[in-house]
Structure formats: C-alpha cells, structure tokens
Amino acid sequence: MPAMVVFGRRWRIASDDLVFPGAFELFIRAVWWIVTLVVYTNHKGRFDCQGGTYLHNYLVVLLVLLGVIILTLCAIVYISAQGTIMNPGPRRSVPALVYLRALLYVPELVWACLGAVWVSDSSTGCKPEEVGAVIAAVVSSWIILLSMAVGVLVVFDPLGSQRPGAPPDAPRGVRDLESSESSQLFYTAHTVASRVWESRLRLLCCCLPQDNNHRAAFSSIAQLVSGFFLDTDLVPSDIAAGLALLHQEQDKMEHCRDPDEVLSHSPSSPIREDLEVELEKAAHFMKFAAAAYGWPLYVYSNPLTGLCKLSGDCCRSRQAEYDLVGGDSLGCHFTSILQSTGLQYRDFIHISFHNQIYEIPFYVALDHKREAVLVAVRGTLSLKDVLTDLSAECENLSVEGVSGTCYAHKGISQAAHYIYKRLVNDGILSQAFNIAPEYKLVICGHSLGAGAASLLAVLLRSTHPTLQCYAFSPPGGLMSKAVADYSKQFVVSVVLGKDLVPRLSIPNMEDLKRRLLKMVSNCSKPKYKILMRGCWYELFGGDPDDFPTELENRREEVLNQPLLGEESLLVQRSNTYQSLSSDDSPAHPTHLPLYLPGCILHITEDGPARRHCFAPVRYRAEWSSETSFRNVLISPRMVADHMPDVVLRALRSLTREQPFALCPSSTSNSHLNVI
C-alpha cells in the first residue's frame, strides 16, 4: 500500500510486494550465474570448436548481464522489505528499480535469441557440456520472460487509470478534492469498474444462456463486487496481511474472553423442546438436506464404495416402478438419495433436479419415522446457484401477520418463490397430504438450500401452521429483523463452528473491511514478516503474534480519533471514509441489515483450538443469538465447517455421544446445560 504506479498507471501490487518474487528470482539467477561461471572457468582457453570464439564472448557477456540483474534484484528485495504497509517512504526508489529491471529484459531477450542461433548454426564440434550450458541459458531466459509476462497479466489492473484519488506524495490540499469533483470521479470509477466486472462475469458464464434473468444478475453482482474495495487503496497482498493479523487478533481475544451465557432452551418460547430433542431432530433431517446434493456429495463422502454402490442403478429407469409426480431426469442422483436417506421408491412424491438461476433443485418425500411430509432443498452446487447466491440486494417480501418491514435476499427469495409455486400450483403438496393427511410438513436444506427453505417456510406458514423448518448453515444476510423474529416460532438454524456463510452479509463484509483497514494501518512491521508469520500460524499454530503497532506511544484520547493511515487508505467521499471519520459504527448504513432465520443452534468443538489431524473431535451445542454472528471470524475452519458432510458428522457425533457430552456449562451456572 498504496498501489504502485509505474508506466503511467496503478497496478494490483504495492512496492513492498516484491520481496518474495524478487528473492525467488534472485535464487534462480544466483544458481544460474554460478553454473555459468563453472562452465566458463573449466573451459577457458579451450573453446576450440567451430564457434568457440563466439561461445567465449557469449558466456562472458552472459556472466556480466546476470551479475547486473543479480545486483538489481538485491536492491529491489532489500528496499522492498523496508518500511511498513502504511509507510512507503523508505521504498520510494522501488519504481525506478522496476524500470531498470524491465530495461534489463531487453538485452536478455536479445542474448537468448543469439544463443539459440549459435546452438543451431555454430555449435558443431563443441563439447556437449558447452552446448548444454547455452541451451539451458536460452531455455531459462525464455521461461523467466514468459513468467514475467504472466505476472504482468496477473497484477494488471484494468482500472489503473480510473482509480479515484491522487498520488500518495501529493499535498493534502491537492488530495482533498472538492465535493462535486470527488463525487464525480468516484462515480466514473465505479461505473467503469461495474462494466469490467460485468464483462468478466459474462466471460466466466459464457456457457449459460444470456436471458433477462442472467443479464440482470450479472449487472447486480457487478455493482456489488465492483464497489466493495473501490474506495480503498488496497492491493490483494494488503488484504492477505490484514486477514492474517485479524485472525491472530481474534484468537487472542477468544482466549481472554469469558464464556458466553448458555441457554438450555430455545430463546423463542419457554415451551420449546429442549436442546437434546432438537439435536436429535436436526441430525435426522440433516441427512435429507445432504442427500439433496445427489451423487457428487455421496461419492465425495464415500470415496471407496460410493461409485460401486451407484454404478448398478445409475442408468436404470425407475419410471416403471414408481411414478414421481413431475419428476425430472434422475439417474445417479435418485440412487444416491435412496442410499443416503434409507427411504423406499414409494416414499418419494416428487424429485426435481431442474437448475437455473433463481431455480434450484428440491425433492418431496414421506418420512414415516417422523411422520412428516419432507421438502428438502439443495444448496449451492453449480455456477447458476452461485449467481443466485450473489444476487444479494434486497427485495420486498409479503408475509401475512407480520408487523414491520419485510424484505429478504433477492436471489434466495426468488428461489423460494419458485419452489412455492411448484409445490402449490403443481399440486405436489396436495398429492403428498392426500397420501398421508395426518403428517406434518417439515422443510430442510443446507447453505443456499437452508435460506430457500427458511423463506419457503415463511411463505407456507399461513396454510400449514404446524410446519417446522431446519436450516443448516444458512446464509447470514437472508431476511429482515421482522421476518427473522417471526421465523423463530418454526425455524431452527444450525451453525457449525466458525462457518463463514452464516456470517456473510453486506454489512458484515463492510465491517470486515473496516477492521482490515485498522489492522493494516496500525501494524508497524513490514508486510513480508506479517505474511510469513501468518502462514506459519495457519499451518503450525502457536501463540498469536503480538505485533507492535504505531499506536503504542499515543495518548488514549488520540486512539479514539481516526488514524491518518486509515484515512490515507480511503477515498474521502466514500461511505467507508465517512464512517471512519465519525466512529467505529457507520451512522448511516448504506445497506439494509439482514439476519439469520429462526432460533440458532450453534455447535462448536469442545477442547483445544488446535488438535492433531487424527485426534477425535468432541462437540458442544448451545442456543445462540444473531448478535453472535455479526462479525466474520477468520479461521482455517471457516470453509470446512460449512461442508454438509462435516455438519452431518458433527450432529451425529453429538447424538451418539449424548450421555457423555451433556455437562454443566460452568460451576456458577450449573443449572444451564449444554451438549
């Protein structure tokens, strides 16, 4: 930080990002120089082949050229390692060194071409080791030149000439643009960024039909993604360093924090069934939610036997044995569902694996064990599902009997309405309740399916007042406060550990960005040390590093003011800048708040934060509240804890080990139990 400006534009790399690539190239060049020197020394005065004189001159010039490049790389690595993320002053000469290093590619390219010409035309009669040394030099040069070209493409910023803000060394009066001029500049940059991201999405999804739904989704997602870091002068390595610092800071706070209060009953109602019963139900219905993923998850969960169990039935048609009302093509999906759930063919009412944007797969079956008509909704498994996930703006939701503003995540809301129309208009639920009129309705799903299941339960609640919904790892930015409070009567959300998805919402991501800015601007160590320590901590653990900060010698009243470093990271007319200039919480949030559905059952690992790979895992479960999920937690488990097989394993572990896992939460609150 800030982004390096060379060749008249900004790049997605900072002046302190050249330590690792420079050190790697320096190692390669040093080995290359030593090998060339050994070849030259051993054959000096004995280049008596046809092109011996040319070979002698080639090796001498190559040694000189490599020496100059090595000295340049040493300077780049040393200077790039100076200063801190927020103090690029000691690195002000890096752009000049980059120009010099780029200039040295020209003679290297010329010399590589001359070496190739010598090998093809004048190497006759020369010793094999001499010819091999030249060939190795030519190949090495071309590999490095190609790697450089790829690296330029990686760090190229198409918005490099459009980014708002002034050069970092400009006077503050120049950087503080007038309001109208700054706003216009930021608007122009945002418009260009949106176009770039929309083009990227169209290229990524070129195989998808370009209908109105997809075009609207591309535009919406581009607007969301393009504006997130547009108002900051951060490069990807700054974000990586900030995440490493934030993870260690969160771990330090977690070690020092007192245990939270634990409830033995759901906070929604005193007559709610106890935690043990809810866990048994959750473990039971989670297998149906996981089964909705079809054969991919089944094979992944059963790598040794999955393919063998499915191979005999994948291509067999079940239409003759049982007619699934409106069922789509099933294949291996149906076989895997049968294997996962233990149900019979006759227990299924409808199975749909139709998948488009805002239209996700689901199935309806009769669960005789729990006497339920079960609707299971599949989570994210395709690119179309990802587009549904990322359509994160809000849309109004019509809910009977709810006072207050009702709105929800647009993509998931439309997916829920799609399933609602299929269930009601196509008579699928009527068919199911004609077969089992005394059964109650249960809806379940995981991830995207959990969000759609929760909103579907809200839509069906008025006609099925006894329905229940189990949402496993639902997305955090799902529904408004009024709808979330209403759903606590019939929805149970199950969240495992530090799962990222239940903590994902636009306000939470804005909060994460603000915390990253604070961590990056406060730390007084160079970036390469932060990244090295962060990688070590993620791989091998240990105590969180207590990085010194630039705040240690400041008076307490100064700490309450926004840091100059943070302000320099931001465009002054951006929302993030406005919130930093006031306090830690934005006074005027730019996005509507969205919440998790229903009562939240939080499952965490019981024991040390880090364990051996093959150590047994014990879990504890407790009722929690939505306030516990207002911050994104950085952890190696943040993705793994979201996987459906991991959630199912945790729930089964809790129900199997129930007599041993039921324990007092603390000596002072021994009447409050957790599992």
Side-chain angles (χ1 to χ4, degrees):
M1 183 277 154
M4 189 163 58
V5 180
V6 290
F7 302 109
R9 66 181 301 119
R10 290 176 178 267
W11 299 77
R12 285 190 297 223
I13 191 171
S15 57
D16 53 357
D17 286 334
L18 304 179
V19 175
F20 296 119
F24 179 74
E25 185 182 357
L26 179 60
F27 172 76
I28 299 297
R29 297 283 186 178
V31 173
W32 184 359
W33 187 86
I34 292 172
V35 171
T36 305
L37 180 63
V38 170
V39 172
Y40 176 78
T41 303
N42 290 340
H43 297 82
K44 184 178 180 180
R46 291 181 292 168
F47 296 107
D48 51 1
C49 57
Q50 177 181 348
T53 303
Y54 184 92
L55 176 60
H56 175 271
N57 295 333
Y58 178 86
L59 292 177
V60 170
V61 174
L62 181 61
L63 285 171
V64 174
L65 181 60
L66 286 175
V68 174
I69 292 175
I70 288 173
L71 291 176
T72 305
L73 289 173
C74 288
I76 290 176
V77 171
Y78 175 77
I79 296 177
S80 182
Q82 304 305 305
T84 66
I85 296 177
M86 286 306 305
N87 181 24
R91 303 189 298 272
R92 62 174 60 92
S93 58
V94 167
L97 291 172
V98 170
Y99 287 131
L100 176 60
R101 180 66 192 92
L103 188 63
L104 290 174
Y105 281 116
V106 177
E108 182 176 11
L109 175 61
V110 172
W111 220 239
C113 294
L114 292 177
V117 171
W118 179 84
V119 169
S120 61
D121 296 342
S122 305
S123 61
T124 305
C126 294
K127 296 180 180 180
E129 57 268 26
E130 297 172 350
V131 177
V134 176
I135 292 176
V138 172
V139 172
S140 299
S141 295
W142 282 109
I143 291 176
I144 291 177
L145 289 169
L146 180 61
S147 301
M148 181 272 298
V150 172
V152 168
L153 293 177
V154 170
V155 301
F156 177 78
D157 185 357
L159 307 174
S161 60
Q162 300 286 338
R163 292 295 297 271
D169 55 349
R172 186 171 180 82
V174 176
R175 289 188 284 118
D176 294 342
L177 301 176
E178 294 296 330
S179 176
S180 59
E181 183 182 353
S182 179
S183 299
Q184 180 62 35
L185 181 61
F186 188 78
Y187 174 78
T188 303
H190 192 194
T191 302
V192 175
S194 297
R195 292 174 184 168
V196 170
W197 276 102
E198 190 166 351
S199 300
R200 290 171 176 171
L201 288 170
R202 291 181 185 278
L203 180 62
L204 180 65
C205 306
C206 59
C207 57
L208 301 182
Q210 302 296 311
D211 56 19
N212 290 334
N213 279 343
H214 286 82
R215 283 191 289 269
F218 292 155
S219 177
S220 171
I221 296 169
Q223 288 284 339
L224 175 66
V225 175
S226 63
F228 189 65
F229 278 111
L230 186 66
D231 60 347
T232 65
D233 195 9
L234 293 174
V235 297
S237 61
D238 293 334
I239 300 173
L243 291 174
L245 291 171
L246 189 57
H247 180 205
Q248 296 177 62
E249 183 69 19
Q250 288 176 345
D251 282 357
K252 285 193 293 185
M253 294 176 62
E254 185 176 349
H255 295 159
C256 300
R257 186 178 54 196
D258 293 332
D260 295 332
E261 181 182 2
V262 185
L263 301 178
S264 59
H265 291 274
S266 163
S268 66
S269 170
I271 63 173
R272 186 64 133 160
E273 295 172 272
D274 61 24
L275 185 59
E276 178 184 334
V277 175
E278 286 293 354
L279 277 171
E280 290 178 354
K281 289 183 178 180
H284 176 77
F285 290 116
M286 180 58 206
K287 69 178 180 181
F288 295 99
Y293 284 95
W295 69 264
L297 181 62
Y298 183 80
V299 172
Y300 173 78
S301 302
N302 302 273
L304 299 179
T305 61
L307 287 175
C308 296
K309 291 181 178 179
L310 297 181
S311 59
D313 293 333
C314 281
C315 301
R316 186 188 307 172
S317 174
R318 297 293 179 189
Q319 191 68 24
E321 299 184 44
Y322 191 76
D323 183 22
L324 299 173
V325 177
D328 299 330
S329 58
L330 305 178
C332 294
H333 288 306
F334 190 19
T335 305
S336 67
I337 293 174
L338 291 172
Q339 293 282 353
S340 300
T341 61
L343 298 180
Q344 303 297 318
Y345 305 127
R346 61 179 178 272
D347 297 328
F348 288 88
I349 306 299
H350 180 92
I351 301 179
S352 171
F353 277 91
H354 168 77
N355 192 200
Q356 292 294 334
I357 185 171
Y358 307 142
E359 299 175 1
I360 57 180
F362 68 98
Y363 68 87
V364 181
L366 300 179
D367 178 14
H368 301 295
K369 182 177 180 179
R370 294 286 177 174
E371 295 186 346
V373 172
L374 180 73
V375 179
V377 187
R378 196 190 77 181
T380 302
L381 195 62
S382 69
L383 189 57
K384 300 166 187 175
D385 297 333
V386 173
L387 295 178
T388 301
D389 287 322
L390 293 178
S391 299
E393 67 268 31
C394 297
E395 74 170 13
N396 291 329
L397 192 67
S398 178
V399 183
E400 296 182 11
V402 178
S403 59
T405 306
C406 298
Y407 53 87
H409 182 291
K410 175 186 174 181
I412 302 177
S413 175
Q414 294 200 15
H417 278 88
Y418 159 75
I419 300 176
Y420 176 84
K421 293 175 182 177
R422 294 288 305 273
L423 294 177
V424 176
N425 297 346
D426 293 355
I428 297 173
L429 283 185
S430 299
Q431 172 78 8
F433 283 107
N434 285 338
I435 298 174
E438 72 283 3
Y439 282 14
K440 63 182 178 182
L441 179 62
V442 176
I443 308 173
C444 64
H446 173 267
S447 189
L448 168 63
S454 301
L455 292 176
L456 178 62
V458 170
L459 298 175
L460 290 171
R461 170 71 171 177
S462 59
T463 55
H464 298 81
T466 62
L467 72 77
Q468 287 183 299
C469 175
Y470 288 87
F472 303 96
S473 308
L478 182 61
M479 55 179 61
S480 66
K481 179 67 173 175
V483 182
D485 290 340
Y486 172 68
S487 67
K488 289 181 180 180
Q489 304 174 38
F490 51 90
V491 177
V492 174
S493 292
V494 179
V495 178
L496 175 62
K498 297 183 178 180
D499 187 353
L500 171 65
V501 173
R503 296 173 171 86
L504 271 185
S505 66
I506 296 179
N508 284 5
M509 293 303 295
E510 290 288 348
D511 173 73
L512 175 63
K513 179 173 71 172
R514 289 166 46 79
R515 288 188 289 150
L516 282 179
L517 292 175
K518 284 185 177 292
M519 298 301 298
V520 166
S521 60
N522 292 354
C523 186
S524 61
K525 278 198 174 183
K527 188 192 298 181
Y528 78 94
K529 289 186 178 180
I530 299 173
L531 293 175
M532 290 176 63
R533 170 58 184 164
C535 291
W536 180 272
Y537 185 76
E538 299 298 338
L539 293 174
F540 305 107
D543 295 328
D545 202 348
D546 189 14
F547 281 109
T549 70
E550 296 174 352
L551 301 176
E552 290 178 341
N553 298 323
R554 299 190 185 182
R555 296 194 308 268
E556 177 137 6
E557 60 269 16
V558 179
L559 301 184
N560 295 325
Q561 303 299 322
L563 296 171
L564 177 61
E566 293 174 54
E567 295 184 8
S568 66
L569 283 165
L570 300 166
V571 177
Q572 293 211 12
R573 298 299 171 185
S574 69
N575 293 319
T576 309
Y577 181 91
Q578 300 289 352
S579 61
L580 274 177
S581 64
S582 56
D583 53 31
D584 283 348
S585 301
H588 303 286
T590 57
H591 301 283
L592 294 172
L594 293 171
Y595 299 86
L596 283 168
C599 305
I600 304 171
L601 186 58
H602 191 199
I603 301 173
T604 56
E605 289 190 12
D606 194 13
R610 292 184 180 268
R611 53 182 175 80
H612 299 294
C613 295
F614 301 102
V617 186
R618 290 179 60 87
Y619 296 93
R620 56 186 286 127
E622 61 191 40
W623 293 111
S624 187
S625 64
E626 65 271 8
T627 57
S628 301
F629 301 90
R630 290 182 182 174
N631 293 320
V632 175
L633 300 182
I634 310 302
S635 169
R637 300 289 307 173
M638 60 195 301
V639 175
D641 283 347
H642 185 69
M643 296 296 103
D645 59 314
V646 178
V647 178
L648 179 58
R649 191 182 311 123
L651 285 167
R652 286 177 171 172
S653 173
L654 277 170
T655 53
R656 283 199 306 267
E657 298 176 1
Q658 174 186 309
F660 307 98
L662 193 63
C663 59
S665 60
S666 67
T667 57
S668 59
N669 294 318
S670 58
H671 63 289
L672 299 179
N673 291 338
V674 296
I675 289 183

